[in-house]
Amino acid sequence: MKNYDIVIIGGGPIGIACGLEAKKKGLSYVILEKGPIVNSLFNYPVNMQFFSSSEKLEIDEIPFISKEPKPRRSDALEYYRRIVTSNKLNINLFEKVENISKTDAVFSITSSKETYKSSNVVLATGFYDIPNKMNVPGEDLKKVSHYYNDPHYYAQQKVAVIGASNSAIDAALECYRKGAEVDLIIRGEEIGQRVKYWVRPDIINRIKEGSIKAHYNSTVKKITEEEIIINTPEGEVTLANDYVLALTGYTPNFNFLKKIGVTLSADEKRLPNYDEETMETNINNLYLAGVICGGMETHKWFIENSRIHAKMIVKSILSKKQ
């Protein structure tokens, strides 16, 4: 059984930042990632472009060189992969953490491959794994996906895109430009205000000219093999449909947090309990890092404003060792 000062769960940018900081300060550590390096970024759409400029995605002051002011998914994969390999970080890939328990001051972390002992645990697991479900008939059909990858797949198909955030708008525009017939189903009365500023005018103009059909103040009632039925202000509307991209957002794994004893706020935000100075939860020596800190407010934390969590956490751990 392996024993470490820190076990870091999640090999995304913030988990990597925590590993770098632990190594720099001479702490023994391991990063456990259930997929490839930066698994969530790997599963982003192939053409995805970040809202942030490259310097805001940097960790540990390692330069992120990008040809474009706003780097793309491929740039980020190369950047974070090189950080891991060049710094010889201790990261175990394709190893999912299944349980965390604590006896006295020692954590036992059970993964799909191994059991680890550690004095400290950092949860940097993000929120991309559990989609927000619509809970409508037909949502489990093969034609329905809560993730979007490559627009080529949807060429010459009738595609309903559900949502008004960056992921939904990007998908709608890319699928339209590959020859799909796109219906955009939006619960609110407008395109989301947080949509990337250079993309928002594009989608508004495509809707205005009729290239993409937008259904505002609308929700999905039912999905069948050949149709999607929506509720609109004008009444029920049935659309011919081949595929549904339900890009309605994602949520952290609250069940896992509760299972290991992290308390959550009672309101709809479901904010986890942690110290904003140290990132330590209500469980001593169990820390949170990155977007998981925001509960349902998944838009609150990004790489650029949570990369500092690594230094805060390691500083707290070191202060307890003195």
Side-chain angles (χ1 to χ4, degrees), residues 99-227:
N99 191 43
I100 301 171
S101 60
K102 188 179 185 185
T103 303
D104 297 326
V106 179
F107 290 97
S108 179
I109 301 95
T110 304
S111 78
S112 55
K113 298 181 180 179
E114 181 72 81
T115 297
Y116 304 85
K117 296 291 185 183
S118 180
S119 305
N120 304 276
V121 171
V122 177
L123 292 179
T125 49
F127 70 99
Y128 197 58
D129 295 325
I130 304 175
N132 293 324
K133 294 293 187 73
M134 299 178 291
N135 297 315
V136 299
E139 189 170 7
D140 58 348
L141 291 173
K142 289 184 179 180
K143 64 183 273 188
V144 180
S145 176
H146 292 275
Y147 296 90
Y148 162 72
N149 184 25
D150 192 326
H152 175 83
Y153 187 84
Y154 302 101
Q156 297 188 339
Q157 302 297 292
K158 294 179 174 63
V159 180
V161 179
I162 303 164
S165 62
N166 278 297
S167 56
I169 301 310
D170 283 345
L173 286 168
E174 289 183 8
C175 289
Y176 153 68
R177 292 197 164 105
K178 294 300 182 184
E181 183 180 319
V182 177
D183 283 280
L184 186 57
I185 301 164
I186 299 172
R187 184 172 56 185
E189 59 186 19
E190 63 175 356
I191 300 299
Q193 290 295 327
R194 287 194 294 270
V195 169
K196 289 172 280 198
Y197 63 82
W198 66 94
V199 173
R200 199 168 188 272
D202 188 3
I203 187 66
I204 289 172
N205 286 331
R206 302 295 73 73
I207 292 169
K208 191 176 296 184
E209 72 186 14
S211 298
I212 292 174
K213 179 73 180 294
H215 306 268
Y216 295 107
N217 300 304
S218 300
T219 57
V220 177
K221 180 180 180 181
K222 183 180 180 181
I223 302 167
T224 70
E225 290 287 359
E226 297 180 347
E227 297 173 333

Side-chain angles (χ1 to χ4, degrees), residues 19-69:
L20 284 169
E21 190 66 16
K23 181 178 181 180
K24 192 189 306 182
K25 299 299 183 181
L27 296 171
S28 62
Y29 72 94
V30 63
I31 303 170
L32 303 178
E33 170 55 65
K34 72 176 185 179
I37 297 168
V38 291
N39 180 63
S40 291
L41 296 187
F42 175 77
N43 286 297
Y44 281 0
V46 292
N47 299 320
M48 195 276 291
Q49 188 170 28
F50 284 88
F51 192 97
S52 302
S53 53
S54 59
E55 73 274 7
K56 293 183 178 180
L57 300 175
E58 293 174 355
I59 54 177
D60 201 39
E61 299 181 353
I62 299 170
F64 183 168
I65 308 302
S66 173
K67 294 178 183 177
E68 300 179 72

Side-chain angles (χ1 to χ4, degrees), residues 262-282:
V262 177
T263 57
L264 306 173
S265 65
D267 58 16
E268 69 279 359
K269 294 181 180 179
R270 306 189 75 184
L271 296 170
N273 184 344
Y274 68 93
D275 186 321
E276 294 184 0
E277 297 296 321
T278 65
M279 310 309 295
E280 188 174 19
T281 68
N282 55 284

Side-chain angles (χ1 to χ4, degrees), residues 273-314:
N273 184 344
Y274 68 93
D275 186 321
E276 294 184 0
E277 297 296 321
T278 65
M279 310 309 295
E280 188 174 19
T281 68
N282 55 284
I283 301 171
N284 289 339
N285 301 325
L286 177 67
Y287 297 84
L288 301 181
V291 71
I292 194 172
C293 301
M296 288 299 294
E297 295 183 311
T298 53
H299 60 276
K300 183 176 180 180
W301 293 104
F302 302 95
I303 297 170
E304 62 185 77
N305 67 354
S306 61
R307 54 190 175 178
I308 192 174
H309 292 170
K311 293 184 182 297
M312 296 164 65
I313 291 168
V314 171

